[in-house]
Amino acid sequence: MTSTTGLIGYCQPLNIHGDETTELKVSSNGPEACSVSVHRIICGDIDPDGPGAEFEKMDWGGAAGLHVRHQPVNAGSFALAAAGPDTAGARTLRISMNVWPTMTQGKRQCILHWGALRFELATDGRLSVRLGDVAATLERPLMKRRWFRAELDVATDVLSLVAAPVTPCAVWTDPTRAHAPRGAKALPKAEDPILFAAAFDRWQGELPFVTDAYNGKIEAPSIRARGRLLAKWDFSRELTGTRAFDIGPHGCHLTLVNTPMRGAAGSNWNGSVESWVRDPSQYGAIHFHDDDMTDCCWQTNLKITPPTDAQSGFYIARMTAEDVQSDVPFFVSARPGKPKADVLLLAPTATYLSYANTHIKFDSHNTENLYEAPMVLSEDELYLNEHRELGLSQYDTHADESGVVYASERRPMLNTRPGLYTFNYLNDTHIVKWLEGQGVSHDVATDEDLHRHGRALLNPYRVVITASHPEYYSTEMWDALYGYQQDGGRHMYLGGNGFYWRIAWSDDHPGVIENRRGISGVRTWEGEPGEHHLSFTGEPGGLWRTHGRAPQALAGTGFSSTLFVRSTYFRRSEDSRDPELSFIFEGLNSDIIGDFGYRGGGAVGLEIDRWDADLGSPPGSVILATSEHVGLGGLLSGEEYITTTRALDGVQNGRVRCDMVFFATPKGGAVWSTGSIAWATSLLWNKGENSVSRVTRNVLRRFLDPAPFPEPASGDHAGSTGSS
Amino acid sequence: MLLYDPDNATYEIDGTRTDLALEYRDQLRGPYSLELQRVLDKMRSTPMKGRFALIVVEPFRKFALARLSGERGVPPEMVEGVTYASIAEAEWDIFKRRWQELTGRELNVPDR
């Protein structure tokens, strides 16, 4: 079998425009050389029983005989200054800080490393200070997820350590101490790097490589020599940025590597505020993880520059060597303000990033229940399980069971490419193939384009298509799409579970998105109390719905249920027979739509949305069709019910359904939403000759017609419920 | 912070209810009766350590039975000599294996 992991790589940046350059960075697990060819993906679904994979090979960007080698990854987040505070003249040191360990067994974890000095957790969770060969170690292990105040002294003759819980508990009331003779080892020198949350191993070029990375929070570390302050770091300062600020006399600021979690509640957090914006002084902690990884920092093997007139789209750099074929995704986006078509397809790259390298099949207890089938593990997934250094997805938990809030494009993303991972990316290429098959000229841009360019990106297009799963939206993205709709734009939403989580991008953290799962919604982990605000922006994280912008307000429909066991179909509503809406169902000879498809055998499936005026479905919005026979497989999302009940499935609960919705917007615009991820994967059934395709084509044709849609009379159709 | 509880599936499968097994065999993807759904929910909530999973041997055509390690980074362990030509075939076989493990009774019903 041809290997898909013998070579792995990533393109940086992920998202370029014609005549810009992306750099292909490759690591080899065997081959010494490979060839590279660039392809535009028309359909990336390689299932022989699927719609037919299709790739268009480019005459640019490729290379033969490209030398490749293994490139290591330096996982684990830490804080570093290449040189610590100057200790000249000092013979003793006192270092204090607060720690909140989240893993206290199984591995050595370094909290501070500075020259010969190491402050660490031993494999059994006991705190220890070492100076060279001499160590003082507490007799009892720290407890997980509790704050401890720790102070270590390097005195003239003695090395000592004292620690106590910040909030005393019955089993640990008084400070615990340890001592050892100091020995001959010298204090750290000015040229020694100082690190928090990992031990320095080596410089690889300009990159610091570390070992013994720590899991947990650190707060307010300070260093004194004979009572004189050398350094004192305030982690609540510059919280959105990439450095830890030293308020001491020497300004020994630390660089944060691999994006440890900021906006972390400190030892003094008391629940009076929920955000670091309101009171930074309660957020003076940083949460480090030994499996944080947001930039592989690999060397570039090949520069790829599409020609200026390259068609925008989903692209791959295909690396081939003997018995190896491995694809690396990148996107060539339409240049903002320079449309080449009337239709824009938005590739939901924030969704791709959030899901990138998910490990939930291995780590998350409920995954098989959610998907209602045994886990099928591909070579890529088996590789990811064994190579945690490639970083986690926002669906994963860290090794210390805390949730993953940052996801980066600066690493191989083995489930974001043609292959066996049949969610999101692959499904969206069904839309590309459908557009091509229909002869619809279209541009492609990404979520990041939408975030950065907003309305300037969308305005030139008659129709904007959001894809099968545009789940992750920043404020800028949401505002741009809403503004486009309200200004006469035409929006087709060919998916489900869209516009769900509020995320952030940051100029300080290029290629990284942040998401906080909060305490509501279908989520594979729950955030810590007080830590639901985005560190990139200070905005509240979690569901858009909890911020007054339920998906219904943007799309007319919003997430209601998962439906993974098998998909179902739509039946037309009576309201859809309004003559003004007849264009949508033109040419159909049945009221049943989509009883077929490549995901679960129907167009209503995977994740589905419903209409709800109370949640923001606009006045005048019409339920065109509603699902039938969702059954026991449909499971209501947590935010959709208030008190507990057994009636949470599609047999018993009328909210476990999917509504297809249309509404006109001001200035002649309109929105049409399918509300189902499986809609996109039914488009190509029977070579595109089917009711799903027909309805989509009907809507697209009318949406391309500049004739304005009449603005709805207030309240028209607003009483529709569509319950089946 | 709420974490998963690997021991939260407390439903006990009645090993004499072979009618439910037959229902599953004949309708792998449902719709299921409520009682069968409970059996499946229990089976799909077994601890991660030792949980059956499938490894792709040949994409879309051949799958091998394995057990998850339940430990991060540790690969699944193959069940020697057990492969399937389809997911459906695998699902039915895994159901039978789980039936035996969870009820202590071998599931003596014919394959389809």
Side-chain angles (χ1 to χ4, degrees):
Chain A
M1 196 171 84
T2 304
S3 167
T4 55
T5 58
L7 297 161
I8 55 175
Y10 60 102
C11 279
Q12 188 49 221
L14 178 66
N15 190 178
I16 55 172
H17 304 94
D19 85 8
E20 292 176 357
T21 297
T22 188
E23 299 187 12
L24 173 64
K25 297 158 184 289
V26 184
S27 179
S28 173
N29 291 311
E32 294 179 352
C34 71
S35 37
V36 177
S37 53
V38 171
H39 305 254
R40 186 172 70 90
I41 300 179
I42 293 166
C43 180
D45 190 339
I46 62 172
D47 185 347
D49 300 322
E54 208 175 324
F55 304 95
E56 183 185 11
K57 189 173 180 182
M58 299 292 111
D59 59 4
W60 49 265
L66 191 71
H67 178 69
V68 289
R69 60 185 172 81
H70 182 72
Q71 302 208 52
V73 179
N74 185 32
S77 60
F78 55 95
L80 163 91
D86 190 357
T87 56
R91 297 186 57 224
T92 62
L93 287 176
R94 171 167 291 183
I95 300 175
S96 64
M97 70 185 80
N98 298 329
V99 295
W100 192 78
T102 48
M103 184 186 288
T104 50
Q105 294 291 318
K107 61 169 282 193
R108 194 160 85 160
Q109 300 172 76
C110 193
I111 297 167
L112 166 66
H113 183 201
W114 186 22
L117 184 71
R118 286 175 66 127
F119 177 49
E120 59 192 22
L121 276 177
T123 54
D124 59 2
R126 291 185 300 153
L127 262 183
S128 178
V129 58
R130 294 174 172 274
L131 189 65
D133 298 335
V134 177
T137 304
L138 296 186
E139 283 186 1
R140 57 192 310 184
L142 298 193
M143 292 169 280
K144 273 200 304 188
R145 297 180 180 274
R146 290 192 76 91
W147 278 109
F148 288 85
R149 174 82 178 156
E151 202 163 83
L152 49 111
D153 261 308
V154 185
T156 313
D157 303 318
V158 178
L159 193 59
S160 65
L161 171 62
V162 57
V166 170
T167 304
C169 55
V171 299
W172 191 331
T173 50
D174 300 321
T176 304
R177 299 169 194 281
H179 306 273
R182 176 173 161 178
K185 206 73 180 177
L187 292 178
K189 295 184 282 293
E191 61 269 28
D192 288 327
I194 184 167
L195 288 87
F196 289 93
F200 182 77
D201 184 41
R202 66 188 190 278
W203 290 104
Q204 181 145 328
E206 294 180 357
L207 284 178
F209 270 62
V210 298
T211 59
D212 299 335
Y214 164 73
N215 291 283
K217 296 180 189 178
I218 299 174
E219 180 186 53
S222 67
I223 303 175
R224 286 182 164 76
R226 301 179 70 183
R228 181 169 53 91
L229 186 69
L230 292 184
K232 184 175 183 179
W233 289 276
D234 181 352
F235 293 161
S236 72
R237 296 268 190 112
E238 296 188 3
L239 200 142
T240 60
T242 57
R243 67 176 188 170
F245 195 83
D246 177 15
I247 59 175
H250 304 299
C252 182
H253 309 303
L254 307 166
T255 300
L256 297 171
V257 178
N258 281 331
T259 325
M261 195 190 84
R262 306 201 69 180
S267 63
N268 60 339
W269 184 76
N270 59 16
S272 60
V273 294
E274 289 191 286
S275 162
W276 56 269
V277 176
R278 284 287 303 281
D279 184 2
S281 72
Q282 293 191 46
Y283 288 88
I286 295 178
H287 192 152
F288 298 89
H289 305 90
D290 68 359
D291 50 10
D292 278 324
M293 207 295 293
T294 50
D295 193 347
C296 282
C297 297
W298 286 351
Q299 301 286 310
T300 298
N301 296 76
L302 180 67
K303 293 185 176 181
I304 299 172
T305 308
T308 309
D309 61 352
Q311 183 170 347
S312 57
F314 293 62
Y315 282 80
I316 47 169
R318 172 159 288 173
M319 307 182 291
T320 50
E322 192 177 350
D323 297 328
V324 177
Q325 178 178 300
S326 180
D327 296 336
V328 178
F330 66 99
F331 293 85
V332 177
S333 289
R335 199 172 278 284
K338 306 273 187 192
K340 292 182 181 170
D342 290 330
V343 176
L344 177 69
L345 171 62
L346 282 171
T349 47
T351 297
Y352 306 156
L353 285 191
S354 188
Y355 280 87
N357 294 353
T358 172
H359 295 73
I360 61 169
K361 290 182 180 179
F362 297 93
D363 296 353
S364 182
H365 182 72
N366 204 49
T367 304
E368 187 175 339
N369 249 326
L370 183 67
Y371 292 138
E372 305 211 56
M375 297 296 93
V376 181
L377 307 169
S378 67
E379 177 188 337
D380 289 345
E381 289 166 324
L382 292 165
Y383 185 90
L384 286 168
N385 178 44
E386 291 183 51
H387 292 273
R388 301 284 170 145
E389 72 275 12
L390 293 182
L392 304 168
S393 81
Q394 289 176 333
Y395 287 77
D396 294 321
T397 50
H398 291 285
D400 71 358
E401 298 190 288
S402 59
V404 176
V405 304
Y406 306 114
S408 168
E409 66 179 49
R410 297 183 164 199
R411 55 176 173 155
M413 296 187 286
L414 301 187
N415 61 350
T416 311
R417 57 180 184 165
L420 303 180
Y421 185 74
T422 56
F423 211 38
N424 304 329
Y425 179 87
L426 278 199
N427 295 348
D428 293 339
T429 68
H430 286 223
I431 300 173
V432 175
K433 181 165 178 165
W434 181 82
L435 288 168
E436 301 252 335
Q438 299 293 321
V440 177
S441 175
H442 64 280
D443 283 350
V444 171
T446 69
D447 279 352
E448 186 168 4
D449 292 311
L450 178 61
H451 173 84
R452 300 211 176 284
H453 305 289
R455 289 287 301 280
L457 173 71
L458 304 183
N459 281 351
Y461 294 97
R462 288 239 175 93
V463 177
V464 170
I465 296 174
T466 50
S468 70
H469 202 181
E471 183 178 359
Y472 293 88
Y473 260 59
S474 67
T475 306
E476 291 84 348
M477 293 162 67
W478 208 102
D479 288 348
L481 190 54
Y482 184 74
Y484 169 80
Q485 290 177 352
Q486 296 298 305
D487 210 11
R490 310 276 171 80
H491 171 205
M492 296 171 69
Y493 165 36
L494 303 187
N497 184 228
F499 323 109
Y500 191 61
W501 296 104
R502 184 179 204 162
I503 62 149
W505 310 70
S506 164
D507 290 339
D508 286 333
H509 304 269
V512 180
I513 59 168
E514 181 181 11
N515 176 43
R516 303 269 173 154
R517 293 286 180 203
I519 52 169
S520 186
V522 168
R523 61 213 194 284
T524 49
W525 51 268
E526 184 172 88
E528 292 282 354
E531 297 184 351
H532 307 318
H533 280 65
L534 298 162
S535 68
F536 284 0
T537 60
E539 297 168 301
L543 296 186
W544 270 114
R545 173 171 169 156
T546 60
H547 311 146
R549 300 191 195 186
Q552 281 88 346
L554 191 62
T557 60
F559 185 53
S560 72
S561 313
T562 52
L563 178 54
F564 285 102
V565 66
R566 70 187 174 97
S567 302
T568 184
Y569 60 86
F570 282 112
R571 182 182 291 277
R572 274 186 72 176
S573 69
E574 285 310 307
D575 286 345
S576 77
R577 300 185 199 284
D578 182 330
E580 289 194 358
L581 303 172
S582 62
F583 70 92
I584 297 171
F585 299 99
E586 204 174 285
L588 256 62
N589 53 17
S590 168
D591 286 351
I592 289 175
I593 304 153
D595 53 344
F596 49 80
Y598 291 108
R599 301 284 179 265
V604 174
L606 305 181
E607 298 181 28
I608 57 177
D609 301 350
R610 67 177 182 89
W611 181 95
D612 192 329
D614 294 333
L615 292 172
S617 294
S621 53
V622 181
I623 296 173
L624 302 167
T626 292
S627 57
E628 283 188 344
H629 297 300
V630 170
L632 273 181
L635 292 173
L636 199 63
S637 182
E639 71 275 19
E640 287 277 88
Y641 62 96
I642 300 167
T643 53
T644 50
T645 166
R646 273 174 292 279
L648 296 172
D649 58 62
V651 173
Q652 300 185 80
N653 196 312
R655 285 185 169 171
V656 181
R657 68 169 199 270
C658 184
D659 296 325
M660 181 194 297
V661 169
F662 172 86
F663 58 95
T665 58
K667 303 182 187 174
V671 176
W672 174 71
S673 295
T674 67
S676 166
I677 291 179
W679 182 271
T681 50
S682 299
L683 284 167
L684 296 170
W685 193 258
N686 190 34
K687 300 188 186 312
E689 287 303 314
N690 63 70
S691 56
V692 169
S693 172
R694 181 64 195 242
V695 169
T696 312
R697 185 169 64 220
N698 288 343
V699 173
L700 179 56
R701 187 176 296 161
R702 175 61 184 89
F703 275 27
L704 281 167
D705 181 347
F709 284 95
E711 292 187 23
S714 175
D716 193 19
H717 298 295
S720 301
T721 64
S723 296
S724 58
Chain B
M1 185 175 71
L2 186 65
L3 297 175
Y4 286 118
D5 173 5
D7 300 319
N8 69 347
T10 52
Y11 177 78
E12 289 195 19
I13 300 172
D14 178 352
T16 67
R17 289 292 305 275
T18 52
D19 58 309
L20 298 174
L22 291 171
E23 182 194 339
Y24 181 68
R25 182 199 66 182
D26 294 343
Q27 199 84 294
L28 283 176
R29 299 273 88 204
Y32 309 127
S33 67
L34 202 54
E35 204 63 32
L36 174 57
Q37 185 70 61
R38 287 179 174 174
V39 170
L40 293 170
D41 290 345
K42 169 71 178 185
M43 288 181 167
R44 290 166 179 161
S45 304
T46 49
M48 294 299 273
K49 181 177 170 57
R51 185 184 288 189
F52 286 116
L54 299 170
I55 288 178
V56 176
V57 179
E58 187 186 330
F60 308 102
R61 296 292 179 256
K62 191 175 180 185
F63 308 89
L65 186 65
R67 284 181 182 273
L68 298 179
S69 69
E71 276 182 68
R72 286 170 185 249
V74 178
E77 194 172 320
M78 304 289 268
V79 176
E80 202 64 39
V82 183
T83 60
Y84 310 100
S86 72
I87 300 286
E89 184 192 340
E91 284 190 274
W92 173 234
D93 187 56
I94 289 173
F95 182 92
K96 288 192 293 184
R97 288 170 183 268
R98 285 175 168 169
W99 187 280
Q100 175 150 17
E101 289 190 359
L102 291 169
T103 69
R105 287 169 181 256
E106 190 176 349
L107 184 56
N108 281 316
V109 298
D111 296 336
R112 259 194 118 180

